[in-house]
Amino acid sequence: MGELIVTVATESDRAAFLSSVDGLFHEDLQIHDPYGDPEWAARGGDAYFTALLDDLDAVPLIARDGDAVLGHLVGRVMEPDVLRPGTKVASLESIRVAPPARGSGVGGRLVAAFFAWARERGAVRAGVTAYAANEGAQRFYARHGFAPSSVSLRAPL
């Protein structure tokens, strides 16, 4: 790998960013969520990306090595809620590293850039949700300081 650069995605990154989001939906969703729509990014991704660019509380990050896109991360900072007044929380909404770049530090660099961005906006902690069966994602998040804080349970009807 050459020089890894992590930056905030811009309009000129639209196609590359959406390709990474599409990859995430086709990899993760098809494996872990039988009710999910892996084609959502193809239909709704364009509007999603436009909304990210217009949202001051969201950050679309992109990781590149030259012209090659190695991954993306979407994060948000949430305003304090009534239970925790004055406490801004950052949410890691989605992250994907292209399969050939996994294990090379790309994901860690994306998370570090997200944490720095969130701290600049006053967030005091970050959260992320992972599928219970996605043990690889959970190990990745644990390496970057995330620890379980609650459990969501579901029952089919």
Side-chain angles (χ1 to χ4, degrees), residues 3-6 61 63 73 104-114 140 144:
E3 184 179 357
L4 175 65
I5 307 277
V6 174
L61 298 172
L73 182 148
S104 67
V106 173
R109 292 277 302 275
L110 284 163
V111 170
F114 166 60
F140 170 81
H144 296 284

Side-chain angles (χ1 to χ4, degrees), residues 9-65:
T10 64
E11 181 60 44
S12 64
D13 297 312
R14 180 180 294 270
F17 185 88
L18 291 175
S19 177
S20 185
V21 171
D22 188 64
L24 174 65
F25 271 72
H26 278 90
E27 289 173 27
D28 215 27
L29 200 64
Q30 284 185 324
I31 294 169
H32 300 294
D33 187 352
Y35 303 106
D37 178 4
E39 300 306 320
W40 172 85
R43 283 190 327 283
D46 212 44
Y48 173 71
F49 185 71
T50 297
L52 287 172
L53 293 180
D54 293 338
D55 187 345
L56 297 176
D57 292 326
V59 64
L61 298 172
I62 194 160
R64 292 182 181 277
D65 181 0

